[in-house]
Amino acid sequence: MTIQSVRIFEPVNAFSQTSRRSSPKPPPHIWHASDPPFKGFQPALSDGYKHSTSSTAIVIDNGSSLVRAGWSFDKAPRLSIPANVARYRDRKLNRTCMYVGYDAFADATTRGQIRNAFEPGSSIVANWDVMEGILDYTFLKLGLGGLDEGIGRPVLMTEPVANLGYSRKTMTELLFECYSASSVAYGIDALLSYRYNKGKNGLVVSSSHSSTHVIPVLDSKPIMSSVSRLNWGGYHGADYLLKLLRLKYPTFPGKMTESQAQEMVRDHCYISQDFDGEMRRYLDWTGFEDRDHLIQYPFTEHVVVEKTEEELTKIAERKKESGRRLQEQAAKMRLDKLVRKEQELEYFKDLQQRLANQTKKEIKRLLDEDEFKDEAQLDRMIKELEKSVRKARSKDIGGPENPEEEEEQTFPLLEVPDEQLDEAGLKQKRHQRLMKSGVEARARAKLEKEQEKARVAEEERQDEARRQNDLNGWLEGKRAARAASKAFRQSKRKLTWMQAYLQKIKERDRLKADLGNRKSLASQMRMKTLANLASDQPGRKRRRGGDDDNFGANDDDWGVYRTVQTGDQSEDEEEEDLGAGLKNIEAQLLQYDTMFTENNTLEAQSDWTKSLIHAFLRGPRPFDPESQKETHQIHLNVERIRVPEIVFQPAIAGLDQAGLVEIVADMVNQRFTSAQDRDALLKDVFLTGGNTLFRGFDERFSRDLRSVLPTEATLSVRHAGDSMNDAWRGAAQWAREPGFAAMSVTREEYSEKGSEYLKEHNRGNSAAG
């Protein structure tokens, strides 16, 4: 059947595969690798500016993951973009283009120029050019573009815990000098989220994109001197997963990006309630189909397109007709070639007869006309043509087959002393010596091969006789031979048999290629060996500078080399199979030993269904390395619980810090000695931040914290209503309060007291302990 292979882009669909020994498994659930998060054009929302007044604040949650912005009277942020900016020079327009937020993922050109405003892994602004571009884009989308006098509105912006004075100072200068804000205020996102969720006394645990903080709050006032920090957040988890996957799949053909890693952490990871126990059982086959998540990346697959019977019939007829025409042309060409050879043979025979009664001078002239060196070369040409003509007649025109036995080669010049030979005779003598060496070597190899076949046949006969006479003893011997063969194979740890076999084939092919090149080292060494064999004293060691042998210096000598290479070389030789002996022994044990089953064979013992590495890399199904679809797949299994576990056990990622539970326990038990304060903190443990949204986070945190607290302590853990947006909503709620203006730094105060001036309040870093 004729098929055609074409390359197409196949959409990713779920497929089913069959286990080697069990019933077909259900098709796996496939998650697609996400595309770059480009969301298209977002129009400016100018209606908010129209409804605002001079006292309406612009609220910006300046997070390292997403920047959220809106008006203080909004229920939710109007704008939510990543803190990215891409700039590149458009040569056609001769201008620099800038893409902000999700627009930076528009195409490959912009994605390659993305710059983030924050220092990697932190909430500190490091690139102020990018930060200015983000603020330009934010105010433009809020309907504040084109205002010559600036925004003219108060700005409330979030900042990280213990923000650097230089960073806050630069941001204040930027808002006042560049955008003409009427007033500026800063607040900590975790505290704003806590106040929005009606918290007054409690422990705020904020695990965000860049870090994790524990902030104690008493009487609505944060105790900033007792704040503890864990240098791990959502960014670090995605980066850690990306490193694990690149280590797990070092030759993965697809490109794994940070945005894809963040989505994998968000959609597939969860907190284990018994990490050590679940890690030990995670790769067990029972229920492994549910635990192993398969991520499919885009791929291009070879799809075989089968033709209809009618098309196949037409193709076969065309091939048959084409083959017939080619055969006719080839037969005609062979016939013409045969006629030419017969004419040449007749001419050379006539020349040989004419040389019979000529002088040496006339003989040399006649031979030079036909480019022959001597009469011996003419004789060889006549013999070759006669042999070729006989073969062509019997094959092409159906002539009588009279295969003559190959005459035994003779080497008469070897018995003639060198003094009786001229220069041409000496060369011919060397050639005969080489030919004799090759004939003797082939004869020895043929004899050794026949002796080896006879020895193997005799061993098989004796082995069969032992099996018939003493079956138990024969089985014991086979078991011992199999154990020895298996031990020998397993001892090859650095180079498996298949690798050694392939390496041996490559070495043989390389040697053949080198021998075909007269300038290669192998060819030169072979030529030296031939020259040594052709020398009058082959056993004598040559001295440097004293060797007058110039055999091989002329191109004609290489013709002798090619002549020596002809003949039977390795057509009858078989490549050694290092695994054939083991397979033969196992086949005999399967036939005669009732205790030896298929499960005892080496192939069954190396089954993928018993391989822990296969389960880790390829999941609970067989893997086809030739399938582009399967080579573009990532299997998430132990990573699903290993990555989020680092918040509780930072040592997993090499972080020299205590875990979240240890930090909270140390703060409650050691820093707050008053039982009243400790009870107030434990009665309202508030979890916020995107890194606390893992499934099972609340249960694991509550259980582990309960185990390190006094038995009489009352513990209550609650979660933010919306961990992602409650910080912005808390800031907007604060901006609507009557006392917000008094907590903001006005433009007059900025001009009078400088950019480092900051007012104290209970929602930011300025709160006094």
Side-chain angles (χ1 to χ4, degrees):
M1 181 176 62
T2 304
I3 57 177
Q4 182 180 2
S5 177
V6 297
R7 292 181 65 87
I8 67 169
F9 184 80
E10 179 182 327
V12 182
N13 295 320
F15 65 97
S16 61
Q17 295 187 358
T18 306
S19 177
R20 291 185 180 179
R21 9 175 133 168
S22 60
S23 59
K25 296 179 179 290
H29 186 279
I30 296 180
W31 286 266
H32 308 296
S34 61
D35 296 328
F38 175 63
K39 296 188 177 181
F41 174 73
Q42 297 182 4
L45 305 175
S46 58
D47 58 325
Y49 177 72
K50 295 177 182 178
H51 291 86
S52 67
T53 62
S54 59
S55 61
T56 304
I58 300 173
V59 181
I60 301 175
D61 182 8
N62 194 25
S64 57
S65 173
L66 293 175
V67 177
R68 302 173 180 87
W71 298 94
S72 58
F73 52 76
D74 291 330
K75 300 296 183 182
R78 291 173 176 252
L79 184 67
S80 181
I81 59 172
N84 298 327
V85 169
R87 289 189 179 94
Y88 79 98
R89 186 72 179 176
D90 193 328
R91 297 182 179 180
K92 294 182 179 180
L93 300 178
N94 194 24
R95 58 184 296 184
T96 300
C97 302
M98 183 175 68
Y99 295 84
V100 182
Y102 292 111
D103 296 345
F105 297 96
D107 56 25
T109 303
T110 58
R111 290 195 295 270
Q113 302 295 328
I114 288 180
R115 299 293 182 270
N116 195 274
F118 295 87
E119 183 179 349
S122 73
S123 298
I124 305 300
V125 179
N127 193 327
W128 289 100
D129 290 337
V130 173
M131 192 72 246
E132 184 176 351
I134 293 171
L135 292 176
D136 287 342
Y137 183 85
T138 300
F139 295 139
L140 177 65
K141 293 302 180 181
L142 291 179
L144 298 172
L147 299 178
D148 297 334
E149 65 277 6
I151 60 175
R153 298 290 188 274
V155 175
L156 172 57
M157 183 176 290
T158 62
E159 65 176 1
V161 176
N163 189 22
L164 299 178
Y166 171 78
S167 180
R168 185 188 302 110
K169 170 178 173 293
T170 307
M171 181 65 72
T172 302
E173 293 176 354
L174 185 64
L175 292 174
F176 279 121
E177 301 294 342
C178 185
Y179 298 104
S180 301
S182 60
S183 64
V184 174
Y186 300 98
I188 298 176
D189 51 359
L191 296 177
L192 293 171
S193 176
Y194 185 57
R195 292 294 291 269
Y196 180 76
N197 286 271
K198 306 184 185 313
K200 293 184 179 180
N201 295 285
L203 203 61
V204 180
V205 178
S206 173
S207 185
S208 59
H209 184 70
S210 58
S211 59
T212 300
H213 289 94
V214 180
I215 308 173
V217 178
L218 293 174
D219 296 330
S220 300
K221 188 173 184 178
I223 312 300
M224 301 305 296
S225 60
S226 299
V227 174
S228 294
R229 171 189 175 95
L230 174 63
N231 295 322
W232 190 267
Y235 168 85
H236 305 88
D239 184 67
Y240 184 63
L241 176 63
L242 199 60
K243 292 178 180 178
L244 290 178
L245 293 179
R246 287 173 178 170
L247 184 63
K248 185 176 182 178
Y249 301 99
T251 59
F252 186 69
K255 183 179 180 181
M256 294 179 282
T257 62
E258 293 181 2
S259 60
Q260 292 171 346
Q262 291 175 6
E263 184 177 357
M264 291 180 194
V265 172
R266 182 174 63 250
D267 296 343
H268 301 280
C269 294
Y270 65 94
I271 299 294
S272 173
Q273 304 303 315
D274 180 16
F275 178 74
D276 295 336
E278 191 168 356
M279 279 292 290
R280 287 192 294 267
R281 303 186 304 269
Y282 210 93
L283 296 179
D284 292 346
W285 292 107
T286 305
F288 191 40
E289 292 86 353
D290 299 329
R291 295 190 297 271
D292 184 78
H293 284 197
L294 193 153
I295 312 297
Q296 179 70 65
Y297 275 72
F299 67 98
T300 303
E301 185 69 279
H302 292 279
V303 178
V304 178
V305 181
E306 296 188 6
K307 297 183 178 295
T308 61
E309 292 294 335
E310 183 179 358
E311 292 176 339
L312 293 177
T313 304
K314 291 181 180 180
I315 293 174
E317 291 177 355
R318 287 197 299 267
K319 286 186 175 181
K320 186 177 181 180
E321 181 64 22
S322 177
R324 186 185 61 78
R325 289 197 299 267
L326 290 175
Q327 289 177 356
E328 292 177 355
Q329 293 176 2
K332 184 178 179 181
M333 293 175 63
R334 287 195 299 269
L335 184 60
D336 295 341
K337 188 175 181 180
L338 176 61
V339 173
R340 289 196 301 271
K341 287 183 178 180
E342 289 177 342
Q343 293 174 354
E344 291 179 357
L345 178 61
E346 184 178 355
Y347 172 78
F348 289 143
K349 285 183 177 180
D350 181 67
L351 175 63
Q352 191 178 37
Q353 292 177 359
R354 285 190 287 122
L355 295 178
N357 300 321
Q358 301 293 335
T359 62
K360 289 186 177 180
K361 184 176 181 181
E362 184 65 18
I363 290 174
K364 181 173 178 58
R365 185 186 66 80
L366 292 175
L367 291 175
D368 289 342
E369 289 180 355
D370 291 298
E371 299 181 354
F372 286 111
K373 292 183 178 180
D374 49 24
E375 294 184 47
Q377 186 177 2
L378 176 61
D379 292 339
R380 289 197 301 272
M381 177 63 70
I382 292 175
K383 291 180 180 180
E384 291 177 358
L385 286 175
E386 287 178 345
K387 183 178 179 181
S388 178
V389 167
R390 283 198 307 270
K391 184 177 180 181
R393 282 176 178 173
S394 63
K395 181 178 180 181
D396 296 334
I397 63 177
E401 295 188 7
N402 296 320
E404 300 179 0
E405 295 292 334
E406 185 177 357
E407 299 180 358
E408 183 178 356
Q409 296 187 15
T410 59
F411 311 99
L413 293 180
L414 297 181
E415 306 296 334
V416 180
D418 293 347
E419 295 79 7
Q420 300 179 11
L421 298 175
D422 54 6
E423 184 178 354
L426 290 174
K427 253 184 192 180
Q428 184 65 21
K429 182 178 179 180
R430 289 183 178 181
H431 177 239
Q432 290 186 5
R433 183 179 290 112
L434 290 174
M435 297 297 295
K436 183 179 180 181
S437 300
V439 170
E440 291 176 352
R442 289 193 293 271
R444 286 195 302 270
K446 186 176 181 180
L447 180 61
E448 290 175 358
K449 187 180 295 184
E450 292 176 354
Q451 292 176 352
E452 179 66 19
K453 288 182 179 180
R455 185 187 64 80
V456 171
E458 179 63 20
E459 288 182 356
E460 291 179 352
R461 187 189 64 79
Q462 294 178 1
D463 185 72
E464 182 65 20
R466 283 195 302 270
R467 184 185 64 80
Q468 294 178 357
N469 297 331
D470 184 12
L471 180 60
N472 294 330
W474 180 84
L475 288 176
E476 290 297 331
K478 289 297 179 182
R479 294 191 187 102
R482 178 182 179 274
S485 177
K486 182 178 178 182
F488 174 77
R489 287 167 59 89
Q490 291 178 347
S491 65
K492 303 294 184 178
R493 295 181 179 178
K494 292 187 178 180
L495 190 65
T496 62
W497 167 78
M498 183 60 70
Q499 291 173 336
Y501 184 72
L502 294 176
Q503 184 176 354
K504 191 176 295 184
I505 294 176
K506 290 180 180 178
E507 183 68 20
R508 181 195 61 189
D509 295 340
R510 185 191 63 79
L511 183 60
K512 285 184 178 180
D514 289 344
L515 290 176
N517 181 14
R518 54 179 294 184
K519 294 183 179 180
S520 65
L521 178 61
S523 185
Q524 295 289 342
M525 296 299 295
R526 179 61 182 265
M527 197 64 204
K528 288 183 179 180
T529 304
L530 293 175
N532 187 31
L533 290 173
S535 65
D536 296 333
Q537 298 177 345
R540 180 181 177 183
K541 186 176 181 180
R542 301 182 181 182
R543 297 181 178 179
R544 172 174 292 186
D547 188 10
D548 58 350
D549 185 15
N550 60 356
F551 184 76
N554 299 325
D555 292 341
D556 298 336
D557 298 337
W558 292 84
V560 177
Y561 180 26
R562 290 190 292 269
T563 305
V564 174
Q565 284 187 323
T566 59
D568 298 334
Q569 292 185 3
S570 60
E571 294 181 358
D572 298 333
E573 297 179 3
E574 298 179 356
E575 299 289 344
E576 63 173 347
D577 186 359
L578 301 180
L582 179 61
K583 292 181 179 179
N584 185 30
I585 294 174
E586 290 180 343
Q588 292 177 344
L589 289 175
L590 288 172
Q591 183 178 359
Y592 299 108
D593 189 358
T594 57
M595 303 298 294
F596 192 85
T597 63
E598 289 285 350
N599 295 331
N600 300 118
T601 61
L602 183 63
E603 182 179 359
Q605 293 176 2
S606 59
D607 191 0
W608 66 268
T609 59
K610 300 179 180 179
S611 173
L612 190 66
I613 298 298
H614 180 93
F616 176 64
L617 294 176
R618 305 301 176 185
R621 290 172 176 80
F623 173 68
D624 181 12
E626 300 297 330
S627 173
Q628 290 294 318
K629 186 173 188 176
E630 296 187 22
T631 55
H632 285 76
Q633 291 176 351
I634 286 177
H635 291 263
L636 295 179
N637 33 65
V638 296
E639 298 86 3
R640 297 180 60 202
I641 61 174
R642 181 177 181 180
V643 172
E645 181 67 20
I646 299 174
V647 176
F648 298 95
Q649 301 185 53
I652 294 177
L655 199 62
D656 189 16
Q657 284 187 269
L660 179 60
V661 175
E662 287 81 358
I663 292 175
V664 174
D666 176 75
M667 179 181 294
V668 174
N669 295 329
Q670 303 297 330
R671 301 186 190 181
F672 292 90
T673 57
S674 173
Q676 182 179 0
D677 293 342
R678 183 170 60 247
D679 293 340
L681 294 176
L682 294 177
K683 286 181 179 178
D684 188 14
V685 179
F686 179 74
L687 303 179
T688 186
N691 205 40
T692 63
L693 295 177
F694 292 112
R695 175 166 55 91
F697 189 95
D698 298 13
E699 295 81 358
R700 170 72 179 278
F701 178 78
S702 301
R703 190 197 65 193
D704 289 1
L705 182 58
R706 176 75 269 178
S707 63
V708 295
L709 293 177
T711 56
E712 68 276 4
T714 302
L715 176 63
S716 176
V717 179
R718 66 186 178 109
H719 214 287
D722 186 353
S723 296
M724 305 297 292
N725 294 319
D726 276 0
W728 185 92
R729 292 191 178 98
Q733 183 185 56
W734 180 32
R736 294 194 298 266
E737 294 180 0
F740 169 71
M743 301 176 189
S744 302
V745 178
T746 63
R747 187 172 184 83
E748 290 76 14
E749 291 172 333
Y750 163 76
S751 301
E752 178 183 355
K753 301 177 181 179
S755 56
E756 296 181 356
Y757 176 66
L758 188 65
K759 292 185 177 181
E760 295 183 358
H761 53 80
N762 294 333
R763 295 176 177 86
N765 290 294
S766 59

